Amino acid sequence: MAQQQASTITDKWGVALAVLIAGGFMAILDTSIVNIAIPKLESVFSVDTAQVQWVVTIYMLTLGVVVPLAGYLGERFGYRRIYILSLVIFTVGSALSGLSWSLSILTVFRVLQALGGGLIMPITMSMVYRMVPRESIGTAMGFWGLGIIVAPAIGPTLGGWLVEYVDWRLIFYINVPIGILGAFLALAYVPKFPSSNTGPFDMVGFVLSATGLFGLLLALSEGQTWGWNSEPIVLLLVASTLFLVLFTLWELTVKHPLLNLRVFAHGSFAMANLLVIIITVAMYSGVFYVPLFLQTVVGYGALKTGLMMMPAAAASAIMMPISGRLYDKIGARPLVLGGLLILTYTTFLLHRLSTTTPVSDVVLWLTLRGIGMGMAMMPATTAGMSAVPTELVGTGSAINNIMQRVAGSFGLAFMTAVLQSQATLHATTIAASYTPTSQPAVQFMHQLTGFLVQHGMALGQSVSLTTTELYDLIQQQAFVMGIDDIFVLGAGITLLGAFLSLFLKTYRHQRASNQMIVD
């Protein structure tokens, strides 16, 4: 049975939770807001896309390294103290990033920013479980999780507006007043959490986890660029897998592990994390590929695309507190099952995307997906932590965050590889039907060539331009069909999650009887 330390439980946890939500939202927002500024950074620093992409990649890699430290640092030095310190580091890193005068300097400051940002989410999650009574934990987690789902949707819109109409440096400076205010509010309203003797620091475990996660996230991030069969990627995948296996074996034998992996034996922790992986993959498929379609195929700008994603974010923001409240009354299984079935259906609907799809249909599908996401994500996470003892909450929070980051990277890498493969296959199939003697090709070439000649273009030049235009149309159609395929695949993965949710158990505490109920 999961117990809580009486010294940290409080019925007045609402204000403290709001303070923690603000910090977590800021940390998650920064993982997506910078992506939209990549073209601007290219021109400002006179570099190419591959170079400036490291501003995003290095942040993600550093997060993977520091997240496993969260549990140990919180237990050893006190969670509130580490939270405030991480806010300060993140804020200083943000201010310095905004002052950057070269790409290399910006990359260094992004590492500093991530050192703080990587600790914020697992630390705040641990604090929520320590200060909120277990009979209200669903409601609290419903609010706490707003940043996880809403921030990635808002980031591109806010970033696009700042970059296009104000100044790219504000995507970093915007964190400074929020971080300063958050640190002072944490001192005033977040309760102190006692430190404990956690034993010696597990340096071997840290080195193994840091090396393994760094290599795995780097391979997943750069696999598409470097080539999945290239020697660096293969070596990274093999080496990172080896280090993570060694890390697992070490953690199961050492007396004071960095991450106590035996937490997977408690309640539904293992099943819940599997469901979180599936939900995260589904979330990123919508957050990444729908904007990619709207900008690449339809031709919308970043700001308009972001505005189209906002209703979905709003739907999730409304649904998450509601699902949290329902979790406290009925448990996780019906919410996660219902949410995943909605996600399955709406993800499948997205395979109808084409250049003629009405905007209203896209917004409707995404909004319904937002409702499903809000129903499923936090109840699954909360159910997984529901039977975890208080002394293992720090480890559980860190593992949950690691799972989400790896799942996001893996999902994007896997889906992008499938998209590229399917687009190539569809392009070959379509091109085979457009031979020089085929009726569609002849008709298209004749009409467009005639139009261009009629408007004064030379015949030879018009034939060349028509051929190029035909090739571009084939590639665009193949790309759209490839995106449609990955949404079908995403729907299948999400449907598997709906089936697995039938086996999810919730361990709920009832204050009146002081008993743990298993749903």
Side-chain angles (χ1 to χ4, degrees):
M1 180 184 299
Q3 301 291 331
Q4 285 178 293
Q5 297 174 10
S7 59
T8 59
I9 298 175
T10 174
D11 289 328
K12 299 179 180 180
W13 47 266
V15 176
L17 177 63
V19 173
L20 300 182
I21 290 171
F25 189 89
M26 180 176 65
I28 295 292
L29 181 70
D30 209 72
T31 61
S32 61
I33 196 173
V34 179
N35 293 337
I36 204 70
I38 287 178
K40 182 68 174 181
L41 294 176
E42 288 179 33
S43 63
V44 168
F45 295 124
S46 301
V47 294
D48 59 32
T49 304
Q51 291 173 296
V52 79
Q53 186 65 39
W54 278 99
V55 172
V56 177
T57 303
I58 198 67
Y59 187 89
M60 180 193 66
L61 296 178
T62 307
L63 292 182
V65 172
V66 301
V67 167
L69 293 171
Y72 172 83
L73 293 175
E75 294 289 343
R76 178 66 180 83
F77 301 103
Y79 279 94
R80 188 180 77 158
R81 183 179 301 169
I82 296 300
Y83 172 66
I84 294 173
L85 178 62
S86 63
L87 267 182
V88 171
I89 294 173
F90 180 82
T91 302
V92 171
S94 297
L96 293 174
S97 295
L99 291 171
S100 297
W101 55 90
S102 70
L103 184 66
S104 57
I105 294 297
L106 176 58
T107 304
V108 171
F109 290 151
R110 284 283 283 172
V111 172
L112 178 63
Q113 194 184 25
L115 289 175
L119 293 174
I120 289 176
M121 290 306 288
I123 289 291
T124 56
M125 184 177 179
S126 298
M127 287 196 286
V128 170
Y129 270 88
R130 279 169 166 75
M131 70 183 185
V132 177
R134 285 295 170 102
E135 64 269 16
S136 302
I137 195 65
T139 301
M141 288 295 290
F143 282 102
W144 175 85
L146 288 174
I148 296 176
I149 292 182
V150 178
I154 292 179
T157 307
L158 179 60
W161 182 77
L162 290 174
V163 170
E164 186 172 346
Y165 295 106
V166 192
D167 191 323
W168 68 269
R169 297 180 187 274
L170 279 176
I171 65 176
F172 300 112
Y173 288 149
I174 195 175
N175 296 323
V176 176
I178 301 174
I180 294 173
L181 180 62
F184 281 111
L185 289 175
L187 283 170
Y189 294 106
V190 175
K192 292 182 178 180
F193 297 86
S195 58
S196 61
N197 183 13
T198 57
F201 178 64
D202 181 15
M203 179 58 74
V204 174
F206 172 67
V207 171
L208 290 174
S209 69
T211 307
L213 288 172
F214 186 94
L216 178 60
L217 291 171
L218 179 59
L220 293 175
S221 174
E222 300 298 326
Q224 199 67 31
T225 302
W226 297 354
W228 289 107
N229 295 323
S230 65
E231 183 177 344
I233 294 298
V234 172
L235 289 176
L236 279 172
L237 290 173
V238 171
S240 61
T241 301
L242 175 61
F243 276 107
L244 290 175
V245 170
L246 292 174
F247 169 73
T248 302
L249 296 175
W250 175 262
E251 296 299 277
L252 291 174
T253 56
V254 71
K255 185 177 180 180
H256 299 288
L258 179 67
L259 292 176
N260 191 339
L261 299 182
R262 289 182 175 84
V263 71
F264 282 98
H266 290 277
S268 295
F269 188 78
M271 177 60 72
N273 274 276
L274 178 58
L275 289 172
V276 166
I277 290 173
I278 291 173
I279 295 169
T280 302
V281 171
M283 178 177 73
Y284 276 93
S285 69
V287 169
F288 183 79
Y289 293 107
V290 172
L292 180 66
F293 168 82
L294 293 175
Q295 294 183 56
T296 304
V297 178
V298 183
Y300 289 165
L303 184 58
K304 184 174 182 179
T305 299
L307 291 174
M308 287 183 63
M309 305 291 289
M310 289 295 287
S316 293
I318 293 171
M319 194 65 219
M320 288 185 72
I322 295 174
S323 65
R325 186 73 173 169
L326 290 173
Y327 170 94
D328 291 328
K329 297 181 180 297
I330 63 176
R333 188 185 300 126
L335 295 169
V336 177
L337 176 60
L340 284 172
L341 288 176
I342 293 174
L343 267 177
T344 299
Y345 177 66
T346 52
T347 302
F348 183 75
L349 285 178
L350 287 172
H351 91 286
R352 300 178 181 176
L353 281 177
S354 69
T355 54
T356 59
T357 304
V359 171
S360 58
D361 286 358
V362 178
V363 172
L364 175 63
W365 298 341
L366 292 176
T367 302
L368 292 175
R369 283 186 96 251
I371 293 174
M373 196 73 65
M375 284 182 63
M377 175 64 90
M378 293 322 299
T381 301
T382 310
M385 297 287 289
S386 61
V388 174
T390 299
E391 63 270 15
L392 292 179
V393 162
T395 288
S397 300
I399 290 175
N400 182 267
N401 275 264
I402 292 170
M403 291 290 187
Q404 288 186 34
R405 299 194 187 284
V406 173
S409 297
F410 173 78
L412 285 179
F414 174 66
M415 292 290 193
T416 302
V418 172
L419 169 60
Q420 186 178 51
S421 175
Q422 289 298 103
T424 302
L425 177 64
H426 288 307
T428 303
T429 303
I430 296 172
S433 64
Y434 280 83
T435 63
T437 58
S438 66
Q439 183 61 33
V442 170
Q443 185 176 359
F444 176 85
M445 297 282 288
H446 177 73
Q447 289 179 347
L448 185 54
T449 301
F451 175 81
L452 294 174
V453 170
Q454 186 178 357
H455 285 77
M457 184 175 290
L459 179 60
Q461 186 179 3
S462 65
V463 170
S464 176
L465 183 61
T466 301
T467 304
T468 302
E469 181 66 20
L470 178 60
Y471 173 82
D472 290 342
L473 288 173
I474 291 174
Q475 294 300 313
Q476 183 187 75
Q477 182 62 31
F479 180 75
V480 172
M481 294 171 71
I483 286 183
D484 292 344
D485 288 344
I486 64 171
F487 282 126
V488 174
L489 175 62
I493 294 172
T494 312
L495 184 61
L496 173 63
F499 171 75
L500 294 175
S501 70
L502 296 172
F503 304 97
L504 182 66
K505 294 181 180 179
T506 306
Y507 297 78
R508 293 188 293 121
H509 184 269
Q510 285 196 337
R511 175 179 288 185
S513 60
N514 197 30
Q515 292 182 341
M516 185 72 76
I517 298 176
V518 181
D519 294 325

